[in-house]
Amino acid sequence: MPALWRLTRNERARRVYDALKRVGVTGTRMYQYVADPRDDAGADDAVEGIEFAARGPADVGDEYEAFAELRDDETVLCALDGDEIVGYLFVSVDVTHRIHPLEETLTFDGGYVRRVFVRPSYRGRGIATALVSRARDAAADAGAEAVHALVALDNKPSQWVFEANGFERRFEHAYYRVGPLRRRRLEDIERT
């Protein structure tokens, strides 16, 4: 039997989710991962043949759709094969973000990592892990005492990447909506 994340993390499942959301039915569960950027738990951040660079919003084009949502207070950490961006993530410090799947606005004290992406033909080489390691370092350099990330419950590949970098699950956010009825839950994983 295939892993659940392989069944839910594809274009067909995304279309079903979006169709249900349009008629007022949605549900999301996410883990909030937290790491101390100053400890030594980060993974190796070297990948053969790949260079890494930090860029600001003005320094990236429109190569990826996600770059359109980049905020002025974020840095894009890019994985480069020559001049080509083959992976990226967004990192910021002490920010408030609208978390669309949760239909909620959250404030993150310290670093916040989001939008981790590696082009499919480059996956399995450690690029995402190296990007997250570098995001931890960037947060530490900015004086952050913690780094946060939100990962959907069914997104096992992202969970593995964050856990490889010393992140621990601290909270589980749950949000369900059917028409006007809404339910939110925040569970402290350490206390359960």
Side-chain angles (χ1 to χ4, degrees):
M1 180 172 174
L4 179 62
W5 68 269
R6 290 192 186 276
L7 297 173
T8 59
R9 294 254 147 216
N10 60 58
E11 189 59 36
R12 182 177 299 130
R14 185 75 205 174
R15 285 194 304 265
V16 169
Y17 178 88
D18 289 341
L20 287 169
K21 189 172 183 177
R22 282 192 296 276
V23 297
V25 177
T26 188
T28 301
R29 289 175 57 197
M30 302 180 96
Y31 290 126
Q32 182 171 341
Y33 279 86
V34 181
D36 182 338
R38 300 159 302 176
D39 72 19
D40 216 8
D44 184 15
D45 62 1
V47 178
E48 187 176 334
I50 301 295
E51 298 293 323
F52 295 90
R55 297 190 173 164
D59 301 324
V60 293
D62 59 359
E63 183 176 353
Y64 292 99
E65 221 176 273
F67 289 169
E69 68 182 56
L70 187 60
R71 297 168 25 152
D72 290 338
D73 58 356
E74 290 181 300
T75 299
V76 183
L77 298 182
C78 299
L80 305 162
D81 186 356
D83 290 334
E84 185 178 11
I85 298 173
V86 298
Y88 61 84
L89 62 70
F90 301 170
V91 62
S92 51
V93 176
D94 297 332
V95 294
T96 299
H97 271 276
R98 178 74 179 162
I99 310 301
H100 295 286
L102 296 173
E103 297 184 10
E104 185 173 21
T105 300
L106 298 176
T107 299
F108 298 95
D109 293 325
Y112 176 56
V113 178
R114 69 184 190 103
R115 279 297 198 171
V116 180
F117 173 79
V118 175
R119 188 176 291 167
S121 60
Y122 283 82
R123 291 179 184 164
R125 296 173 53 184
I127 294 171
T129 302
L131 283 166
V132 171
S133 177
R134 289 169 182 273
R136 281 177 51 121
D137 292 344
D141 291 347
E145 294 184 15
V147 185
H148 304 262
L150 289 171
V151 179
L153 205 68
D154 66 335
N155 190 346
K156 292 295 184 192
S158 288
Q159 291 174 27
W160 297 327
V161 165
F162 284 101
E163 289 167 6
N165 276 288
F167 283 75
E168 296 176 354
R169 294 178 189 169
R170 293 280 174 83
F171 303 99
E172 182 181 325
H173 297 261
Y175 172 68
Y176 306 99
R177 177 170 52 92
V178 177
L181 304 174
R182 299 168 194 267
R183 182 168 192 274
R184 294 183 194 284
R185 180 176 52 83
L186 176 63
E187 183 177 321
D188 187 337
I189 293 173
E190 290 186 331
R191 296 187 185 180
T192 58

